[in-house]
Amino acid sequence: MAVPLAGWTLHTTVLRRRLTAAQRDPLTGTWRRQAFTDRAQRLMERHPDEVVLVLADADHFKQLNDTHGHAAGDTALASIGARLTDWAGPHGVAGRLGGDEFAALARIKPRHQALRLDHLANRPVPYEDGGALPLTVSLGAATPAAIGSSDLPTLMGAADAAMYEGKHTGTVVQARPDHTRTPSINGRRQGRPGTAARTTTQP
């Protein structure tokens, strides 16, 4: 029995690794959209009073690609993914929603949330020959306490609306209750690429 059992154990381990790899974005190492949503939902349910959601969107990403090439664009995306993964920490989750859009959910005590958000301020992205890419990232943040809801799509929609409000400013805009009234689909403003299915609004 020892040999067959060892074989099944190895098979299970390999299969689990392949499934996990399939849920990861290969460029940034962050979770793909559905995997991020599943993990963020579980974290929110366990710690509704200690979570902060951040949505991030690279500014003028097409222009950066056109000017500096796709390798520079890949470097920028990898940098955003690494920054959010580091910010979320080992008990949080970071994901790439699609294109140059990312999200991260971190577990942070309320008294530390403002300071931790300040750590996401834009920084230069190192590139070839010691240079830096001209990259800025728009950021929106939302907490259940600030918007009065622990529903993940509502939280994402509010963070997305806050991010759009502060577009190109390089600062993190924190969502208010009125941001939940911006029409959204799957946590993203109507009209953004990939928005489809159920509309989520608050009265």
Side-chain angles (χ1 to χ4, degrees):
M1 289 294 293
V3 174
L5 181 59
W8 276 108
T9 301
L10 177 61
H11 173 76
T12 302
T13 301
V14 172
L15 181 60
R16 186 180 295 113
R17 287 175 179 172
R18 288 179 178 174
L19 289 173
T20 299
Q23 295 177 320
R24 294 275 192 179
D25 174 56
L27 176 61
T28 66
T30 58
W31 295 103
R32 296 183 189 272
R33 184 182 183 88
Q34 188 59 55
F36 166 80
T37 301
D38 293 343
R39 285 162 175 76
Q41 184 66 53
R42 289 196 294 269
L43 184 60
M44 178 108 58
E45 291 170 355
R46 293 170 184 165
H47 309 284
D49 299 325
E50 298 181 358
V51 293
V52 181
L53 175 76
V54 167
L55 260 63
D57 192 22
D59 297 331
H60 307 298
F61 184 70
K62 184 179 183 302
Q63 181 179 335
L64 185 147
N65 255 338
D66 292 344
T67 303
H68 299 275
H70 290 288
D74 288 349
T75 297
L77 294 176
S79 174
I80 296 171
R83 186 77 183 281
L84 289 175
T85 298
D86 180 66
W87 178 81
H91 303 297
V93 57
R96 184 180 180 187
L97 304 183
D100 57 335
E101 301 173 50
F102 293 80
L105 188 73
R107 183 184 173 190
I108 308 171
K109 296 287 187 181
R111 65 180 180 274
H112 299 312
Q113 289 175 0
L115 180 62
R116 287 284 302 279
L117 285 172
D118 284 344
H119 291 167
L120 280 178
N122 283 298
R123 298 177 184 171
V125 177
Y127 197 49
E128 298 174 344
D129 302 323
L133 289 175
L135 175 72
T136 58
V137 179
S138 294
L139 299 155
T143 64
I147 67 170
S149 175
S150 57
D151 175 67
L152 182 59
T154 301
L155 204 68
M156 292 180 70
D160 189 66
M163 178 184 69
Y164 185 76
E165 182 178 295
K167 195 70 175 162
H168 309 308
T169 65
T171 60
V172 184
V173 178
Q174 298 194 46
R176 306 179 302 271
D178 60 284
H179 284 127
T180 64
R181 293 191 286 273
T182 302
S184 65
I185 300 175
N186 289 338
R188 303 161 82 195
R189 292 184 318 282
Q190 288 183 5
R192 288 167 68 89
T195 52
R198 180 172 63 90
T199 300
T200 304
T201 57
Q202 292 286 320

